[in-house]
Amino acid sequence: MDIRYSVNQRDVKRYTTDELRAEFLIEKLFVPGDVTATYSHVDRVITLGAMPTGTRLALDKNVDTWKSLGAKFFLAGRELGIINIGGPGKVHADGTDYPLGRREGLYLSMGTKEVFFSSDDQAQPAKFYMASAPAHRACPTTLIPYDKAIHRDLGSLETSNARTINQYIHPDVLETCQLSMGLTELKPGSVWNTMPSHTHERRMEVYMYFDIPEGNVVFHFMGEPTETRHIVMQNEQAVISPSWSIHSGCGTAAYSFIWAMAGENKVFDDMDGFANTAM
């Protein structure tokens, strides 16, 4: 498990491009037949990717990885959100099978002991993108098909940010301890997300960009509003966004991204906005 320690905005002002990428970018999420994990000390969020090929893939495949959690199994004191961005597959949790098609989600409760992943078609393997946060009690495990998520249309083509926000793990959909998670789709012709920019003093966020057309990239903007930096993102990469940082993306083509949030509250619209002219 890759471990990232928390950094502050004063030091980040002096970072080189390589240092920014080393601290915030998660370059490789999906490895055939394996589970990847990045532990961030920003609200102790863990970002994971599972790409099952062949036989079932265990979340605890690399069991020694979790020793740094001080737990006997991964979800002993954590909750887990999952969204599949690959081919159809299944999550097997404590003896129950949960089928997940593309862009379908699942919330797993704290206390779930055995978790396995499988793909229905090895030629088109599932890609389970996951985010986990510390939990203080067990909330019900819940399957979240695409049509059960909340769908919000925001922005416009005139401002290049027409998008649909799909809220999967959200207080109006299901109960969690602190985790929120969803998927945003940009409309064709739009390249920006989340403009004007904002920060979350009470929450951190992780962004995972995907469906970036071949040969294209996303410029992820971060930093304080008056001290912005950028990281160039390839398809299926994630970036850690601390509470003090803005988080906006501008692609060379339309794309989608999954956001996961953890912190003091789960109020989606609780944010501090900044006018474009103030940045």
Side-chain angles (χ1 to χ4, degrees):
M1 182 164 61
D2 185 12
I3 297 178
R4 309 287 180 90
Y5 291 93
S6 183
V7 296
N8 66 69
Q9 60 270 51
R10 295 179 297 279
D11 291 342
V12 167
K13 294 177 183 180
R14 298 186 291 272
Y15 280 10
T16 66
T17 297
D18 287 342
E19 288 172 323
L20 278 177
R21 294 174 68 86
E23 292 290 346
F24 300 105
L25 178 64
I26 303 172
E27 291 195 67
K28 194 70 174 178
L29 279 165
F30 300 108
V31 176
D34 207 353
V35 177
T36 66
T38 301
Y39 182 111
S40 171
H41 277 269
V42 181
D43 286 310
R44 300 190 179 275
V45 164
I46 300 179
T47 303
L48 307 101
M51 187 177 176
T53 56
T55 58
R56 292 197 311 177
L57 177 62
L59 175 63
D60 288 328
K61 176 178 182 290
N62 305 313
V63 66
D64 288 346
T65 293
W66 313 137
K67 285 184 177 179
S68 56
L69 302 181
K72 293 183 178 179
F73 57 97
F74 184 75
L75 292 175
R78 289 183 159 270
E79 55 189 353
L80 182 68
I82 306 171
I83 296 178
N84 181 17
I85 66 166
K90 294 182 180 66
V91 178
H92 315 265
D94 282 351
T96 300
D97 290 349
Y98 298 94
L100 263 70
R102 180 173 168 80
R103 301 195 177 208
E104 293 190 320
L106 175 68
Y107 170 81
L108 288 185
S109 170
M110 183 189 83
T112 305
K113 290 185 177 180
E114 293 187 338
V115 181
F116 298 90
F117 308 99
S118 64
S119 297
D120 293 355
D121 182 355
Q122 303 307 315
Q124 295 181 317
K127 293 181 178 179
F128 298 108
Y129 176 72
M130 295 172 277
S132 174
H136 59 276
R137 61 185 175 87
C139 299
T141 289
T142 306
L143 183 66
I144 315 155
Y146 183 80
D147 60 0
K148 297 296 184 182
I150 298 171
H151 308 289
R152 298 174 60 184
D153 293 321
L154 295 175
S156 68
L157 288 175
E158 288 75 16
T159 51
S160 302
N161 66 346
R163 63 199 188 276
T164 299
I165 297 176
N166 306 290
Q167 297 168 329
Y168 287 74
I169 298 177
H170 183 277
D172 292 336
V173 177
L174 56 90
E175 183 183 16
T176 69
C177 288
Q178 64 165 315
L179 185 66
S180 297
M181 196 170 181
L183 188 159
T184 298
E185 305 165 273
L186 267 68
K187 305 294 185 184
S190 287
V191 294
W192 277 106
N193 71 67
T194 320
M195 289 296 287
S197 289
H198 61 269
T199 60
H200 304 278
E201 184 59 37
R202 290 154 290 281
R203 297 190 302 278
M204 65 84 70
E205 195 161 8
V206 179
Y207 271 39
M208 193 279 285
Y209 293 97
F210 71 106
D211 282 351
I212 301 174
E214 186 176 356
N216 289 272
V217 296
V218 171
F219 287 76
H220 175 82
F221 290 89
M222 62 162 295
E224 293 180 289
T226 57
E227 288 278 351
T228 59
R229 303 291 185 269
H230 72 268
I231 297 176
V232 179
M233 309 282 297
Q234 306 289 333
N235 192 41
E236 297 179 357
Q237 293 183 339
V239 63
I240 299 165
S241 181
S243 61
W244 49 262
S245 177
I246 67 163
H247 35 280
S248 295
C250 183
T252 55
Y255 56 90
S256 299
F257 65 94
I258 294 174
W259 43 269
M261 291 188 286
E264 297 291 342
N265 66 29
K266 296 173 286 185
V267 182
F268 183 82
D269 295 318
D270 181 8
M271 58 186 73
D272 301 309
F274 301 93
N276 292 334
T277 54
M279 296 177 62

